[in-house]
């Protein structure tokens, strides 16, 4: 990746490869950290700060590494400066969920913010994911009339043709 740092598409695909390779594979994550992969990943994200898909792939890679990695591995990722890069990537709608997950799995406090569409400024909502009970009804009730309505409306193609 270092040889093609100026090519955003190469960097995006490299980060995507790291993300896939580290998914549920802590041994791959450890090897990548020990091989010096994290600085390369963060350099790509810093070099192309507005390449949204690249930012998303970088967030996924860092999240996959942190999710099943050891506390020491997470500390090494943070020591390379991942927090700042991830918080920047979280400004984009296409990568906000991935940035949030990476920050959370690295053990950092993450709140919910919004970006003012007019100014581009980040506005703190003061909310923490999961702190407010969701408006969700966990009970699924079958409608007794649905199956009967389907059966009443059902007919075969032969019926339409007058056979």
């Amino acid at each position: 990746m270092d040889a093609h740092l100026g090519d955003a598409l190469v960097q995006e695909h490299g980060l995507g490869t790291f993300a896939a390779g580290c998914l549920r594979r802590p041994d791959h994550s450890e090897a990548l950290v020990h091989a010096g992969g994290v600085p390369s990943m963060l350099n790509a994200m810093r070099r192309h700060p507005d390449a949204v898909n690249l930012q998303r792939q970088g967030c996924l890679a860092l999240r996959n590494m942190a999710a099943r990695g050891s506390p020491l591995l997470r500390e090494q990722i943070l020591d390379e400066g991942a927090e700042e890069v991830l918080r920047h990537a979280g400004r984009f709608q296409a990568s906000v969920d991935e940035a949030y997950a990476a920050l959370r799995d690295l053990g950092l406090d993450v709140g919910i913010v919004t970006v003012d569409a007019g100014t581009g400024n980040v506005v703190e909502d003061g909310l923490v994911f999961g702190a407010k009970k969701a408006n969700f009804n966990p009970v699924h009730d079958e409608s007794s009339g649905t199956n009967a309505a389907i059966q009443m409306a059902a007919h075969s193609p032969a019926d339409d043709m007058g056979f």
Side-chain angles (χ1 to χ4, degrees):
M1 288 183 53
D2 292 339
H4 301 283
L5 190 56
D7 189 330
L9 190 59
V10 169
Q11 299 302 306
E12 177 187 332
H13 288 285
L15 291 169
T17 300
F18 288 157
C22 292
L23 181 62
R24 297 185 188 100
R25 293 298 305 261
D27 55 327
H28 289 185
S29 299
E30 293 281 345
L32 187 58
V33 168
H34 294 303
V38 174
S40 293
M41 295 166 59
L42 297 175
N43 285 339
M45 294 174 76
R46 287 183 184 113
R47 178 77 182 262
H48 305 282
D50 297 321
V52 179
N53 290 331
L54 181 149
Q55 296 295 319
R56 181 177 182 276
Q57 292 298 331
C59 291
L60 285 169
L62 291 165
R63 188 268 170 193
N64 290 348
M65 293 172 71
R68 292 195 188 338
S70 68
L72 178 60
L73 180 121
R74 291 191 289 274
E75 185 178 320
Q76 289 172 316
I77 293 170
L78 288 170
D79 286 347
E80 295 292 344
E83 180 178 5
E84 173 194 349
V85 174
L86 288 166
R87 291 197 186 274
H88 171 80
R91 296 180 313 124
F92 303 109
Q93 186 63 42
S95 60
V96 67
D97 292 335
E98 292 80 4
Y100 174 89
L103 290 163
R104 177 199 63 213
D105 290 346
L106 284 165
L108 300 171
D109 289 330
V110 187
I112 298 174
V113 299
T114 57
V115 177
D116 184 293
T119 65
N121 293 330
V122 175
V123 180
E124 295 282 339
D125 286 340
L127 298 175
V128 176
F129 184 77
K132 181 181 175 189
K133 184 170 173 34
N135 185 17
F136 172 72
N137 182 3
V139 177
H140 175 71
D141 293 326
E142 290 285 335
S143 171
S144 60
T146 303
N147 288 336
I150 291 171
Q151 291 300 319
M152 294 283 292
H155 58 280
S156 71
D159 290 341
D160 290 340
M161 293 183 217
F163 293 127

